[in-house]
Amino acid sequence: MKTILVAVELAVLQSAVDNKRWIKTPVSVDAYYDAILNSIAIPMGALQSPYFMPGSLDISNYAKLGVIIAREILHGFNVFGHQLNSKGQLRSWWTADEQKYYFHNVTDCLIDQYNKYCIDTGTDCSEKIDGNQTLDENFADNGAILIAYQAADLKKDDETLPGFANISNDKIFFIQYSSMHCNSYTQIGLLNELATGLSSPNEFRVKGSLQNSKEFSKAFSCTTNVTVCSVF
């Protein structure tokens, strides 16, 4: 199989550029942004439970698949994305003021926020997230939850989840968003994620983005004063 895949990739080098070629298979449970093609792709594998559930409340699908789509779009607006124009050419399309705001307000705040998160690896909290290393993904997480929430807010359901009639749809949105990131690490796996991963560990992908969400604080009547980073 490996030989076949290598042969396929080598054949691509001798062919004309195919702007419709995907870099992942249809069954990949993933999504991606292609900066050169200025496009996003959502494979079939991601269009199923738990990310997308036909017949479920719209707000649930916005909280999961909606966030995934928004995240990939936002990769075109980060440190790397702004350097490529709509044709994938290495030409920044941001004004000097936009660059100044992003690099001196958004990035500094997010880096400082995530650098402070202490990771419990089973012995102590000596390990921390690298805010620089995870910046692009943290930016996408924080922006995506706001975009998806605003989109869901335009199409609020009158229905509620069975057994959750006393829980508002706003709360359901954030609960569903958080549930999408449920996972478990081994100690070695967590340390490897911290050392090489471009995303923060899932626990802090949720905590970080919700800490900055005014909509979340309003929905759950949070009163604790914490530093809030704004990405827009």
Side-chain angles (χ1 to χ4, degrees):
M1 177 60 73
K2 184 177 180 179
T3 301
I4 295 175
L5 293 175
V6 170
V8 170
E9 292 300 319
L10 289 176
V12 171
L13 297 177
Q14 303 174 14
S15 306
V17 175
D18 182 1
N19 289 336
K20 295 183 179 180
R21 182 175 182 267
W22 285 33
I23 61 177
K24 291 185 181 290
T25 65
V27 295
S28 298
V29 185
D30 198 0
Y32 65 88
Y33 167 72
D34 190 318
I36 302 300
L37 299 180
N38 191 32
S39 67
I40 67 170
I42 313 294
M44 179 180 64
L47 298 175
Q48 58 183 333
S49 179
Y51 305 115
F52 176 67
M53 294 177 285
S56 181
L57 295 182
D58 285 334
I59 201 164
S60 296
N61 288 324
Y62 276 103
K64 295 181 177 181
L65 183 60
V67 167
I68 291 173
I69 293 172
R71 284 188 74 257
E72 299 312 319
I73 292 175
L74 284 173
H75 283 314
F77 296 82
N78 59 19
V79 174
F80 177 68
H82 89 274
Q83 300 179 52
L84 299 173
N85 64 15
S86 62
K87 297 180 180 179
Q89 299 168 325
L90 194 58
R91 297 175 185 172
S92 177
W93 48 276
W94 284 7
T95 66
D97 287 341
E98 288 170 336
Q99 292 187 50
K100 182 178 180 180
Y101 175 81
Y102 180 80
F103 288 110
H104 294 285
N105 293 79
V106 177
T107 61
D108 287 352
C109 188
L110 287 176
I111 290 171
D112 183 63
Q113 176 189 353
Y114 284 83
N115 275 341
K116 292 178 180 177
Y117 287 135
C118 177
I119 311 298
D120 185 356
T121 58
T123 54
D124 54 39
C125 285
S126 60
E127 301 294 336
K128 292 189 176 182
I129 295 172
D130 186 330
N132 277 292
Q133 179 176 298
T134 58
L135 174 60
D136 287 350
E137 298 296 334
N138 294 336
F139 169 77
D141 284 338
N142 278 268
I145 192 172
L146 175 59
I147 293 173
Y149 177 85
Q150 291 177 337
D153 197 48
L154 296 175
K155 199 176 185 302
K156 286 261 182 92
D157 288 294
D158 292 327
E159 300 178 281
T160 57
L161 290 176
F164 293 87
N166 61 328
I167 298 181
S168 69
N169 278 342
D170 285 339
K171 289 183 177 180
I172 288 175
F173 175 90
F174 293 110
I175 292 171
Q176 293 283 55
Y177 165 75
S178 301
S179 71
M180 177 174 66
H181 294 292
C182 288
N183 75 334
S184 178
Y185 294 98
T186 63
Q187 183 172 344
I188 294 177
L190 178 57
L191 291 173
N192 181 65
E193 181 73 9
L194 290 171
T196 64
L198 298 180
S199 295
S200 301
N202 280 13
E203 175 186 351
F204 295 95
R205 293 183 69 175
V206 174
K207 288 182 177 179
S209 56
L210 295 187
Q211 175 180 318
N212 295 330
S213 172
K214 296 179 181 178
E215 293 75 16
F216 170 82
S217 295
K218 181 179 179 181
F220 286 89
S221 302
C222 300
T223 57
T224 303
N225 292 323
V226 294
T227 300
V228 175
C229 297
S230 176
V231 297
F232 298 124

